Amino acid sequence: MSETSSLVLNVSQSLSGRQWIWRHSSLDQHFLDRQAQAIAQKASLFEVVGRMMTLRGVSTENLPFFLSPTLKALLPNPSCLKDMDKAAARIADAIINHEKIAIFGDYDVDGGCATALFSDFFSMLGNQAISYIPDRFKEGYGPNVQALEQLIQQGATLIICVDCGTAAHSVFDQINQEKTDLIVFDHHKSENVPNIYATVNPNRLDCTSRLGNLCAGGVSFIASIAITRNLREKNYFQTNPEPNLFKLMDLVALSTICDVMPLTGLNRAFVTQGLKILAKRERIGLAALLDVAGITQVPNAFSCGFALGPRINAGGRISEASLGLQLLTNSNPFDARLIAERLDTINKQRQNIEKDVLDQATEQAMEQYRQGNAVIMLSNPKWHSGIVGIVAGRIKEQINRPILIGTELQDGTVKGSGRSVPGLDLGAAIIAAKQADLLIQGGGHTMAAGYCYHKDKSQKLHDFLNHYLNQATHYPTVADLEIETVITPAGASVELAKQIENLAPFGNGNEEPLIVLSYVHIIRTDRIGKDGNTLRLIIQGEKRQSLKALLFRADQNPITVFLEDSQNRQPVHLAGWLRNNQWNGKENTTFFIKDASFIKN
């Protein structure tokens, strides 16, 4: 529990049961204030925005890199990644010698984007590679012997695995590597690397690159730079055009956002620059998906994570695994539109399946939570394996605990996916469980992991994870809200909202600033949207300034009943996000509600 002195407006229990606390900083308060003022003056910003930047580690010295993150300033030397030079040289030779290259990718957004990135990159270099995305249900995660041998039969003398392969030791050991070289570009944690030509993974134990926050799309983009450099050294471009690597940035941005990588440092540059490419709508498939998803404004991290990502993922989760890759590499507007509409339909089916599993899993999760488990571990033979990861994420948000949810298979194993909470490394816990012989397979990163175990080891595995992640028992049921500033509706100006946009892109590691609107009167409420699940409020401050506020997923939010209660119109504090909107050429602000609290006397 946080100290009372850190409470915002004395809110120790909001309408959703949360504490509102000030966002903490390791900086001395006096120094923080001075730094905020210096940033505000240098960048001509409100002091409160300068404070938000200071809380994110921005100083007057690195302010230009934060406001305008460029690849030129932040890209590392690719050689810092273990095995990168070796991998780049081998791929460059394959390009020069016109070898048949195959790309084996994972079936999620990151894997699809990384596969599409290499496919486009090789096309720019005059090599039409084979792309392969496995079927989640028939083949499972990662490389499998049958698929790799099929690619060898098609003439592939080089197979590149992206977003998978680091843990595929036994599979690779069965492949005749005299017929083909195997290279992995991955970011998942594993005990050790396989015995293949090269494994480029910033999270391998002997890699000193300090780039462990990159997703596979980011690693693959850096690889494209290394390969281009090697080809240049070999004079390839004396007779061939150099590739325009910047055109690949939309894929890097999308994969970074959807794989929930921290949007700081190099990733911030990847996403900032990649969103600019995405906004041009030059990638036919993504342009079609933006239209189908109803994204009319300039795409941002939110629209990538909540509109594009789930639709691309839907094919791999419950239907045709290769649909996402087909969309990302399609150059025919008509075909791209059909694929985008197909993915949209599949995503709606996924949502219906997800709701049924969520209802069942939530009930069981609450029982385990009441028993005092640090980790919630569930499985059921009827739960769809393609959506257990999403459900784990939903339940995690409800009870603030690491959640593992699996599907029980006919062979007596359980295959599942887990999601963690900030501060707890689930990937490391899964690897430790594998080392303890409790898992058949397992790997992942800090916030998410995949695994497979024999059902008869379920209790031992649960006990192990409860012990390994025991710190979770000290977490509150719902996470505290870290507030950055308190304003009145009168202060909720368009200019403030526009200045806050300087902190974008928002996401993991760079959360959108949570703001409290204090002493708010609710004037009117109504339901809007196709399903009526968005609550719209007209609110006023003490000086009668009106402002529109929205609450999404109102039916699932415990604060809805209080906000809609017209018989109880006492003033409230609202916590949420202030955003600038444009409509019919006019700018205005909207407040997006996260939480609310009645005002205590």
Side-chain angles (χ1 to χ4, degrees):
M1 299 292 287
S2 303
E3 296 179 6
T4 304
S5 60
S6 69
L7 292 179
V8 176
L9 296 175
N10 202 33
V11 178
S12 58
Q13 187 171 20
S14 69
L15 294 179
S16 66
R18 302 175 187 267
Q19 286 192 132
W20 294 0
I21 61 173
W22 291 110
R23 178 165 179 172
H24 297 296
S25 171
S26 59
L27 299 175
D28 172 77
Q29 185 64 44
H30 181 63
F31 179 81
L32 191 155
D33 291 340
R34 281 200 334 234
Q35 188 81 339
Q37 290 173 1
I39 289 175
Q41 291 174 4
K42 186 172 183 178
S44 299
L45 299 169
F46 293 135
E47 188 173 325
V48 66
V49 180
R51 183 181 181 84
M52 292 172 180
M53 290 185 176
T54 305
L55 287 169
R56 285 160 176 74
V58 180
S59 64
T60 52
E61 290 74 25
N62 64 20
L63 179 62
F65 301 109
F66 183 82
L67 293 176
S68 300
T70 63
L71 297 181
K72 182 178 180 180
L74 295 169
L75 266 174
N77 183 337
S79 299
C80 72
L81 284 153
K82 182 78 172 180
D83 269 6
M84 179 63 86
D85 288 341
K86 184 180 181 182
R90 176 66 184 90
I91 295 171
D93 286 344
I95 296 294
I96 293 170
N97 297 322
H98 306 288
E99 294 182 49
K100 178 64 71 176
I101 301 174
I103 313 161
F104 185 106
D106 188 22
Y107 39 65
D108 69 354
V109 176
D110 189 22
C113 285
T115 304
L117 186 152
F118 272 128
S119 178
D120 282 5
F121 174 58
F122 294 150
S123 292
M124 293 177 189
L125 296 171
N127 188 300
Q128 302 302 315
I130 307 168
S131 295
Y132 188 94
I133 302 292
D135 185 289
R136 175 192 292 262
F137 311 105
K138 296 177 181 178
E139 301 173 78
Y141 168 78
N144 63 84
V145 173
Q146 183 177 352
L148 296 181
E149 289 183 342
Q150 179 183 324
L151 293 173
I152 293 172
Q153 290 172 8
Q154 293 179 56
T157 53
L158 175 62
I159 300 177
I160 299 170
C161 297
V162 292
D163 199 30
C164 59
T166 302
H169 306 73
S170 60
V171 171
F172 291 148
D173 287 346
Q174 299 176 62
I175 301 300
N176 185 349
Q177 295 188 42
E178 292 183 1
K179 293 183 177 180
T180 190
D181 285 325
L182 297 165
I183 294 177
V184 163
F185 292 101
D186 197 4
H187 69 126
H188 294 95
K189 296 178 179 179
S190 183
E191 303 168 65
N192 45 56
V193 297
N195 183 27
I196 58 174
Y197 190 88
T199 298
V200 182
N201 183 336
N203 285 309
R204 58 182 285 180
L205 296 179
D206 58 349
C207 183
T208 59
S209 66
R210 302 177 67 182
L211 296 174
N213 286 334
L214 294 183
C215 66
V219 174
S220 299
F221 181 75
I222 294 177
S224 72
I225 296 172
I227 297 163
T228 301
R229 183 176 66 183
N230 193 281
L231 287 169
R232 191 179 298 117
E233 292 170 352
K234 294 173 178 175
N235 300 317
Y236 181 77
F237 299 120
Q238 288 186 356
T239 55
N240 297 278
E242 286 210 24
N244 183 352
L245 301 186
F246 211 69
K247 285 191 173 183
L248 305 173
M249 287 303 304
D250 56 345
L251 295 171
V252 183
L254 185 60
S255 60
T256 300
I257 293 165
C258 294
D259 227 41
V260 202
M261 296 294 104
L263 300 189
T264 57
L266 179 57
N267 281 341
R268 179 175 172 83
F270 278 158
V271 173
T272 299
Q273 302 305 326
L275 288 175
K276 294 177 183 177
I277 302 300
L278 181 59
K280 295 180 180 179
R281 292 178 174 246
E282 293 178 349
R283 189 172 299 277
I284 302 301
L286 289 182
L289 195 60
L290 285 167
D291 290 339
V292 167
I295 306 299
T296 57
Q297 296 184 340
V298 176
N300 55 25
F302 182 85
S303 51
C304 286
F306 291 91
L308 299 184
R311 288 171 170 83
I312 295 172
N313 260 335
R317 289 192 183 282
I318 66 170
S319 184
E320 305 155 64
S322 64
L323 277 178
L325 178 62
Q326 290 178 41
L327 181 83
L328 294 171
T329 56
N330 202 290
S331 59
N332 183 301
F334 180 78
D335 290 343
R337 177 75 185 199
L338 291 178
I339 297 172
E341 290 175 345
R342 171 71 176 144
L343 285 170
D344 187 58
T345 299
I346 295 171
N347 189 51
K348 290 173 182 174
Q349 296 171 356
R350 186 270 303 169
Q351 290 171 329
N352 291 331
I353 296 171
E354 176 192 326
K355 185 180 183 305
D356 292 338
V357 177
L358 179 61
D359 290 343
Q360 298 172 37
T362 299
E363 184 177 346
Q364 295 183 32
M366 291 307 299
E367 179 60 29
Q368 286 195 16
Y369 172 78
R370 285 189 288 267
Q371 293 170 357
N373 288 280
V375 175
I376 309 301
M377 200 174 93
L378 310 171
S379 66
N380 189 301
K382 296 181 180 179
W383 291 347
H384 197 293
S385 61
I387 52 85
V388 291
I390 301 176
V391 173
R394 295 272 189 268
I395 298 177
K396 177 202 75 171
E397 294 299 324
Q398 294 180 38
I399 59 177
N400 200 35
R401 294 287 185 273
I403 311 290
L404 287 82
I405 300 183
T407 303
E408 298 173 13
L409 306 179
Q410 292 183 348
D411 62 0
T413 63
V414 177
K415 184 171 289 188
S417 184
R419 297 293 183 270
S420 192
V421 294
L424 298 178
D425 191 337
L426 182 58
I430 289 295
I431 290 172
K434 174 74 164 52
Q435 293 172 335
D437 198 31
L438 295 173
L439 293 173
I440 302 170
Q441 290 179 318
H445 45 82
T446 303
M447 298 300 291
Y451 57 88
C452 179
Y453 64 90
H454 288 290
K455 190 179 178 182
D456 57 8
K457 291 189 177 181
S458 177
Q459 189 58 54
K460 288 183 178 180
L461 175 62
H462 199 178
D463 291 342
F464 179 90
L465 294 174
N466 268 334
H467 177 74
Y468 194 98
L469 298 172
N470 183 61
Q471 186 182 348
T473 58
H474 303 295
Y475 281 38
T477 305
V478 285
D480 295 338
L481 289 191
E482 292 192 329
I483 307 299
E484 301 203 28
T485 191
V486 176
I487 61 175
T488 64
S493 65
V494 169
E495 182 59 28
L496 176 59
K498 291 171 71 172
Q499 288 193 18
I500 291 174
E501 289 176 355
N502 287 315
L503 281 67
F506 298 121
N508 179 29
N510 183 40
E511 286 75 17
E512 186 174 1
L514 269 170
I515 294 170
V516 169
L517 280 182
S518 61
Y519 299 97
V520 167
H521 297 269
I522 300 173
I523 305 303
R524 187 174 73 248
T525 65
D526 61 338
R527 294 293 191 105
I528 60 173
K530 291 181 180 179
D531 54 4
N533 202 19
T534 297
L535 178 64
R536 178 172 60 187
L537 297 81
I538 302 300
I539 58 178
Q540 284 186 352
E542 296 294 318
K543 297 182 180 180
R544 304 297 182 187
Q545 302 87 355
S546 294
L547 185 67
K548 182 176 73 173
L550 298 175
L551 176 69
F552 293 129
R553 292 182 180 171
D555 288 348
Q556 302 173 29
N557 200 309
I559 73 173
T560 302
V561 63
F562 300 104
L563 298 180
E564 283 189 313
D565 185 3
S566 60
Q567 304 301 315
N568 184 12
R569 283 289 189 239
Q570 61 175 298
V572 296
H573 302 310
L574 298 177
W577 304 279
L578 184 69
R579 296 171 187 162
N580 179 49
N581 294 311
Q582 292 187 356
W583 182 256
N584 291 332
K586 294 182 179 180
E587 292 183 311
N588 58 72
T589 54
T590 300
F591 193 78
F592 292 80
I593 301 171
K594 171 71 173 179
D595 200 3
S597 176
F598 287 134
I599 297 171
K600 298 178 181 179
N601 296 324

